[in-house]
Amino acid sequence: MSDAPPPQPPEGARRRRMTIALAISAALVAIAVVVIGAVTAAGTGGAGADRADPAAATETADAIERPTPTATPEPTPVAVQPALTPQVQAQIDYALTYWKDYNPEYGVLGITDCVNFASQTLLARGWQENDEWYNADDVYQASDTWRSSTSMRDWLATRPDLATPLDDTQRDEVEVGDIAQFDWDNSGDRDHTGIVTKVERTADGTKIYFAGHTLDSDYRDVDTAITVDHPGGTAYYWSLEQ
């Protein structure tokens, strides 16, 4: 056996083998990069798709559960009140001027001044005093029809030229300036009198408001008066002809 080193390949062949080895290594690295990228993409695109971001899922759920906005409901139409005649306008102006600040030219009937006040508005409307309906320097000496709700009712019942009686089922015939009367305990008399200051007509029905003394008010709701203030009370009206 010889100790001489084995013969070396020519320099050119050795360089070719090194070049081939480097090319193979580079190819293997490239393949590894591609494989790792594919695995990573599968992990984020596959499993990640099944594990959606909670916040995004919540937003999606909200978007699904939230009802589709609809147009804002139209308000219930309110019929426009016809223009008041000069006489009725004068009556309402008087009522809204003196419903709280009493007119010093007239006396006050203590806690039962409602008809005295209503009669004053009728004078402002253009009604004329007569032997059946009149005021006096001492309001306690005025006619009963001027200062008593029941007496006013009985008198108006004899004067179809002045007024037509209506009950609460005939609200659609009531107008601003008409007389509103109430029987709080349904005993058959009239316990309170006011002057209609506003009428609202809607698809849901007719709302009536009135001014009066005793419980001083400018736009008191009839419905509140007969259901809250005096539960079970009944409202009546006089449709005025003049």
Side-chain angles (χ1 to χ4, degrees), residues 8-21:
Q8 298 297 319
E11 182 67 22
R14 188 156 53 88
R15 288 181 178 177
R16 283 196 296 273
R17 284 198 295 270
M18 291 180 63
T19 300
I20 291 170

Side-chain angles (χ1 to χ4, degrees), residues 94 98-121 135-136 138-140 142 144-149 152 191-195 211-217:
Y94 184 95
Y98 294 111
W99 69 270
K100 180 172 64 174
D101 299 320
Y102 291 18
N103 188 342
E105 294 182 12
Y106 295 88
V108 179
L109 290 169
I111 60 172
T112 58
D113 197 57
C114 60
V115 191
N116 177 34
F117 176 63
S119 292
Q120 294 169 38
T121 73
N135 188 26
D138 178 359
V139 69
Y140 286 95
D144 289 345
T145 56
W146 179 281
R147 56 189 177 88
S148 163
S149 291
M152 174 176 272
D191 301 304
H192 189 55
T193 298
I195 296 298
H213 279 183
T214 303
L215 178 56
D216 297 344
S217 53

